[in-house]
Amino acid sequence: MTAPGAAATSGGGPVTAPGAAATGTAVGAAVTGTAVTGARRSGIRFDSVSVAYGNHTVLDSLDLTVEPGEVMALLGPSGSGKTTALRAVAGFVRPVSGRVFIGDRDVTALPPHRRGIGMVVQQYALFPHMRVEDNVAFGLKAQKAPKAEIPGRVAEALEMTGMAAYAKRYPRELSGGQQQRVAIARALAIRPNVLLLDEPLSALDAQLRSGMLAELARLHRELPDVSILYVTHDQVEALTLADRIAVMDRARLRDCGTPQDLYRRPRTEFTASFVGNANLLPVTVGTGTVSLGGAELKVATDDVAPGAAATLCVRPHLVGLGEGPNALRGRIAEVQWRGSTHRLYVDVEGHRMKADVRELRETPALGDEVTLHFAPEDGVLLGAGVTDG
């Protein structure tokens, strides 16, 4: 029998359930307390990997490297290819071209149980009839770990995920967040060099998701040799956890960089709009200025040809209300109270701008004329005429 969420060996070959996570083979890392020591550092490399179903390409020529010990988030909308990329690493889909490497091993043709990876899927996929400790031990038994080692390794994995006190409980006796921790413990118990997380927090409510983000960040610090590939469509998860973010759209890699770089200096409109909120305004470029309708705005134009059409990106939280540099006058179209901020939608020069403003003493009414402003260094030019640097 094989758990949904675990790929195991049975006799001489793999037995894998739908949605399975590969338990892999033993990888020789030593877990002591809450840290992995002596691990063989392994990254992931996609070498022009394409996946297709019939004539439909779902992953197109992906070239991407996840460095040893790095958390790489694959971020994108549904159908962008991010889960397909993760499943190609796991061995659940076979590329039609290209190769997948784990460390220096070409694993493209290897079955999931021989790849030495751990995986956590959205639904957790715990055996309902097994206690927590038995769920965590499942992968170890499947890979035929020495019986004497299994209790200690289960205890270590549960301790790392804060679930040691729940070892004797059944999944039905746990909250969603606790079940998620058990699923992560099961993946960690086999001591993988590579951990694959496929939308692991999507089934949790907002409060539990926030708590699990903190726990995953802690695990990342305590497992510095484990490479993590994290699939999500949630910007906050990617910005919080990832060392780098790979932005996917329509089966292709569109951008890749640190969260700070992609947020502060996006290179494309898609990246700007998908990694955080953005005002994207069509402008004509001058020398040290851009024109938005009848307004002249100061921004850096060093990489842009004068006279070119481009897109000005300004983050809503960097837009102020009232007089200041790069002042723009417009009328209130909508006001949303968001607790710590008000989101103002303002019609400016034929375009709608967003401004996230704190501590308004008096909320403007619909139709009121207001002035917005932003600092020259907070505007980024995108689009035709802008070099990639």
Side-chain angles (χ1 to χ4, degrees), residues 111-124:
H113 67 287
R114 293 183 57 196
R115 298 195 179 199
I117 60 176
M119 184 171 178
V120 179
V121 296
Q122 299 177 43
Q123 299 84 9
Y124 319 144

Side-chain angles (χ1 to χ4, degrees), residues 78 82-83 120-124 176-177 180 184 197-210 212-213 216 230-234 237 241:
S78 297
K82 57 189 188 297
T83 294
V120 179
V121 296
Q122 299 177 43
Q123 299 84 9
Y124 319 144
Q180 176 64 288
I184 294 171
L197 302 175
D198 186 9
E199 302 271 12
L201 308 184
S202 62
L204 303 180
D205 61 35
Q207 186 172 358
L208 283 175
R209 197 155 51 239
S210 176
M212 280 304 303
L213 277 174
L216 289 172
Y230 189 102
V231 166
T232 183
H233 65 273
D234 188 286
E237 291 180 21
L241 288 176

Side-chain angles (χ1 to χ4, degrees), residues 127-197:
F127 275 128
H129 64 285
M130 287 185 179
R131 298 181 188 274
V132 164
E133 60 187 359
D134 296 321
N135 269 284
V136 175
F138 184 88
L140 293 168
K141 293 176 180 178
Q143 65 178 203
K144 304 188 186 306
K147 289 184 178 180
E149 291 184 11
I150 291 176
R153 288 171 65 173
V154 168
E156 289 170 347
L158 290 174
E159 184 68 31
M160 292 179 71
T161 54
M163 291 299 293
Y166 300 87
K168 300 296 183 183
R169 295 195 184 184
Y170 290 96
R172 64 178 177 272
E173 299 173 316
L174 305 176
S175 69
Q178 290 168 337
Q179 291 182 46
Q180 176 64 288
R181 290 170 188 246
V182 175
I184 294 171
R186 181 174 61 190
L188 294 177
I190 66 164
R191 299 174 178 172
N193 291 115
V194 169
L195 180 61
L196 308 178
L197 302 175

Side-chain angles (χ1 to χ4, degrees), residues 359-388:
E359 299 179 5
L360 285 176
R361 290 188 174 86
E362 184 176 344
T363 304
L366 298 184
D368 281 358
E369 187 170 332
V370 296
T371 300
L372 304 178
H373 67 270
F374 65 93
E377 61 269 23
D378 291 334
V380 180
L381 288 180
L382 315 171
V386 182
T387 66
D388 287 340

Side-chain angles (χ1 to χ4, degrees), residues 4 20 23 25 37 60 117 120 128 142 199 226 283 287 301 311-312 326 333 346 352 356:
T23 57
T25 55
T37 60
D60 190 0
I117 60 176
V120 179
E199 302 271 12
V226 176
V283 296
T287 302
T301 61
T311 299
L312 176 64
N326 286 335
V346 182
R352 185 157 292 183
D356 291 336

